[in-house]
Amino acid sequence: MTADRYAVLGNPVAHSRSPAIHAAFARQTGEAIDYGRILCPLDGFEATVRDFATAGGRGCNVTLPFKFEALRLAAQCSERARLAGAANTLRFDAGGWLADNTDGVGLVRDIEHNAGVPLAGRRVLVVGAGGAGAGVLGPLLAARPAELVVANRSADKALTLVARHAAWAQAHTVRLSAAGLDVPGTGFDVLVNASASSLQGQASPVGADVLAPGALAVDLMYGAAAEPFLAWAHAAGASARDGLGMLVEQAAESFFIWRGVRPHTAPVLQALRASLAAAA
Ligand code: NDP
């Protein structure tokens, strides 16, 4: 049987763990897929993705900096991709491409299923209003926390993001508001660091008083760059998680969109964590 072709497209893309994750899903489920990585020229995303589809590709993941452009190329998109303004998954349907964004649902699954923390009724603080913050907000709201605050270094970007999600928040009965980093509020049950602070070697972009006793603190970053945040959260008495679980869960959702089969994520996450630890 010929394998169906998929790939992750980005620039840079060499670091991507997606090929290893999807290969593991394929082995586990018996789905015949061949998943590669394609480096796109910065001004050549559209041409590269169209060439891949013409050559028989069935779909792709899209990473930085092309997630916004990917959404514009699709004939139809999911509500969560529309709210995010960006897509990380394309399916090359014959009648027109479908765009989706699986980052947010990946984060919610990691928090609720892997960490065992239900979001309904909780107070949630999301720090960061860039691409990652925009990608996770819709699914976080759909999990119906009592309150969600988006805090960002440039408060105006948080306000814009909150305005775009106002109707969605209302539909899910969530109190949604924006803040600057100096006054994000205190005593949140869940902190999501969707800012690039860890990439810059900073432990946390906010003070420890944002954490309620026994809070969960999640950094979307993983590997060595996430370690200062994880240490900060532990020192503050919180449970801490890096972004590896979200990475595997968002991949599983893409796999489901393409293949209609939902892989088991726990063994894949465990193997990925072990291989990262061995390489450190
Ligand atoms: P963007 O460049 O789009 O946005 C960066 C955000 O971080 C902005 O809100 C910016 O604020 C803020 N920021 C930057 N530096 C600091 C700082 N020192 N202190 C506080 N805030 C800061 O990046 P992305 O949103 O795409 O990515 C953010 C993080 O999420 C990255 O670490 C990325 O690796 C991770 N990520 C992880 C994923 C996963 O699957 N685990 C998926 C996607 C992203 P301002 O607006 O003021 O500039």
Side-chain angles (χ1 to χ4, degrees), residues 27-85:
R27 280 194 300 277
Q28 183 199 96
T29 59
E31 290 291 305
I33 74 158
D34 170 11
Y35 187 112
R37 53 165 74 81
I38 299 175
L39 176 67
C40 299
L42 287 173
D43 61 352
F45 173 70
E46 180 170 356
T48 309
V49 72
R50 289 200 190 285
D51 283 352
F52 179 58
T54 305
R58 301 287 297 273
C60 67
N61 284 130
V62 181
T63 187
L64 296 176
F66 304 120
K67 290 184 178 183
F68 306 99
E69 200 177 341
L71 182 68
R72 292 196 294 272
L73 293 182
Q76 46 174 333
C77 74
S78 65
E79 180 63 11
R80 58 198 183 196
R82 191 192 64 75
L83 279 168

Side-chain angles (χ1 to χ4, degrees), residues 64 67 103 128-133 152-154 157 181 194-197 199-200 202 205 220-222 243 246-247:
L64 296 176
K67 290 184 178 183
D103 282 338
N152 195 49
R153 192 172 56 180
S154 328
K157 270 167 75 178
L181 289 186
S195 83
S197 61
L199 276 177
Q200 297 159 17
Q202 217 181 320
L220 300 198
M221 200 66 211
Y222 53 86
M246 168 179 167
L247 181 72

Side-chain angles (χ1 to χ4, degrees), residues 110 222 241-245 268-278:
D110 189 52
Y222 53 86
R241 278 186 91 72
D242 64 12
L244 212 54
V268 178
L269 176 56
Q270 201 177 12
L272 188 59
R273 208 173 274 296
S275 86
L276 280 178

Side-chain angles (χ1 to χ4, degrees), residues 140-278:
L140 281 173
L141 291 167
R144 297 180 181 275
E147 180 184 6
L148 194 152
V149 176
V150 179
N152 195 49
R153 192 172 56 180
S154 328
D156 57 321
K157 270 167 75 178
L159 273 170
T160 305
L161 195 56
V162 160
R164 197 160 87 218
H165 287 74
W168 186 251
Q170 200 175 17
H172 292 88
T173 55
V174 187
R175 284 196 312 280
L176 175 64
S177 60
L181 289 186
D182 47 341
V183 281
T186 57
F188 291 92
D189 303 303
V190 177
L191 163 65
V192 174
N193 183 19
S195 83
S197 61
S198 292
L199 276 177
Q200 297 159 17
Q202 217 181 320
S204 169
V206 283
D209 61 348
V210 303
L211 299 167
L216 173 69
V218 186
D219 194 344
L220 300 198
M221 200 66 211
Y222 53 86
E227 278 166 19
F229 176 89
L230 300 179
W232 169 85
H234 281 136
S239 308
R241 278 186 91 72
D242 64 12
L244 212 54
M246 168 179 167
L247 181 72
V248 172
E249 294 295 343
Q250 63 78 25
E253 184 74 10
S254 295
F255 193 88
F256 177 73
I257 288 164
W258 295 324
R259 310 300 298 180
V261 176
R262 206 172 273 290
H264 294 295
T265 50
V268 178
L269 176 56
Q270 201 177 12
L272 188 59
R273 208 173 274 296
S275 86
L276 280 178

